[in-house]
Amino acid sequence: MNRADTFLASFNKIEKWLRKQLNFPNNMGVTEMLRRVKKQSDLPIREIEYDLIEFSQLRNAIVHNRIETDFIIAEPNEWAVNRILEIENKLLHPRLVERVLKKNVKIFTAEVPLQEILYIIVEKEYSQFPVYQNKKFRGLITTRGVGMWFAKNANSSLLDLNYYTAIDILDIDNKSDAVYFLAPTDTEYKAKELFKNNPRLEAILITENGRNNGKLIGIVSPKDLFGE
């Protein structure tokens, strides 16, 4: 298979995939399909839109300007072939968020003493703890939130750490937009976009159904997706 055939085969797979996303009609062009599909935040269309529009023009030149079956007027170069294959893989076989999630998540009940939370932070070096009460998600405790709690109570002369519990930390640290829920089949791209678009987002919790009432599978932090 020459470069033109490889390019065309890959482009056709991408075009078919695009058409399937929103059940686009057969007469809709690639540029218009891209414009509509990129509104879906879990698809990396913005990263590849320009290249695909250029490639659609190259595809047209290859298909419509052939003089003979073995004569190609526009031969894709090696970069174009590699790039179209890369785009095909990114769209048709996206990396899923389950690839990077941490499964050893420490869950606290709302009644667990602050003393135990501090012990886990020091011994296990964990920094984020989902809190559940009666099997219902209540919020996320972070080491930053624990620090805020101590700062607020620094003037207390009788600070019994066993008297205070996880729910007391949540009262000062709990923010509704600090946590988001996804399913393990959601894409890494969607998770990255969530962190990029919400600076207050501290963690994404992965549950079986992608909702806060689902069984917790793992947790993803910005560090897991973007590194240090």
Side-chain angles (χ1 to χ4, degrees):
M1 182 180 291
N2 57 39
R3 287 203 301 262
D5 289 334
T6 301
F7 177 89
L8 289 175
S10 183
F11 189 92
N12 289 338
K13 290 178 185 177
I14 294 170
E15 186 175 27
K16 183 178 179 180
W17 178 90
L18 282 171
R19 206 170 300 284
K20 184 179 179 181
Q21 295 310 301
L22 297 175
N23 196 26
F24 293 128
N26 291 331
N27 61 349
M28 183 176 291
V30 169
T31 300
E32 180 61 19
M33 286 193 292
L34 287 170
R35 187 186 69 81
R36 298 190 186 190
V37 171
K38 73 179 179 181
K39 296 178 181 178
Q40 300 184 20
S41 61
D42 57 335
L43 300 173
I45 300 300
R46 289 178 179 83
E47 298 178 359
I48 50 85
E49 181 180 14
Y50 176 79
D51 285 342
L52 270 185
I53 292 174
E54 293 292 309
F55 287 159
S56 70
Q57 297 173 0
L58 177 56
R59 186 275 308 268
N60 291 340
I62 296 173
V63 172
H64 300 303
N65 294 327
R66 278 194 175 188
I67 300 173
E68 298 179 9
T69 56
D70 60 347
F71 180 80
I72 301 170
I73 195 170
E75 177 78 18
N77 60 25
E78 185 176 355
W79 176 87
V81 173
N82 290 336
R83 178 58 173 157
I84 196 72
L85 292 173
E86 177 187 349
I87 292 173
E88 176 193 337
N89 188 61
K90 181 173 290 189
L91 292 180
L92 277 64
H93 308 286
R95 294 195 298 182
L96 303 182
V97 73
E98 64 181 354
R99 191 183 71 88
V100 294
L101 65 84
K102 296 174 183 174
K103 294 184 177 180
N104 56 336
V105 185
K106 177 64 178 179
I107 298 175
F108 286 133
T109 62
E111 300 79 18
V112 67
L114 176 56
Q115 182 70 57
E116 183 175 339
I117 295 175
L118 295 177
Y119 173 81
I120 295 295
I121 290 175
V122 173
E123 293 297 317
K124 303 295 185 180
E125 297 184 354
Y126 294 167
S127 59
Q128 297 170 321
F129 311 92
V131 176
Y132 283 78
Q133 189 173 36
N134 299 323
K135 297 183 179 181
K136 183 178 180 180
F137 178 75
R138 289 296 307 272
L140 186 74
I141 288 180
T142 65
T143 51
R144 185 188 63 80
V146 172
M148 289 176 58
W149 186 89
F150 273 104
K152 183 179 179 180
N153 293 276
N155 294 327
S156 176
S157 57
L158 298 174
L159 193 61
D160 185 353
L161 299 183
N162 286 307
Y163 173 79
Y164 297 97
T165 64
I167 204 70
D168 296 308
I169 306 298
L170 284 182
D171 286 342
I172 191 172
D173 191 38
N174 197 21
K175 302 185 295 293
S176 61
D177 59 349
V179 180
Y180 198 94
F181 290 84
L182 289 179
T185 53
D186 282 310
T187 65
E188 282 188 32
Y189 178 80
K190 183 174 183 177
K192 287 181 178 180
E193 289 296 293
L194 288 170
F195 281 119
K196 289 177 182 178
N197 295 328
N198 180 12
R200 291 165 61 90
L201 182 61
E202 299 191 19
I204 295 174
L205 299 184
I206 310 302
T207 61
E208 286 183 339
N209 62 3
R211 297 191 292 271
N212 62 4
N213 62 352
K215 181 181 179 181
L216 185 64
I217 297 175
I219 188 170
V220 175
S221 69
K223 181 180 177 181
D224 298 322
L225 292 169
F226 303 106
E228 296 289 349

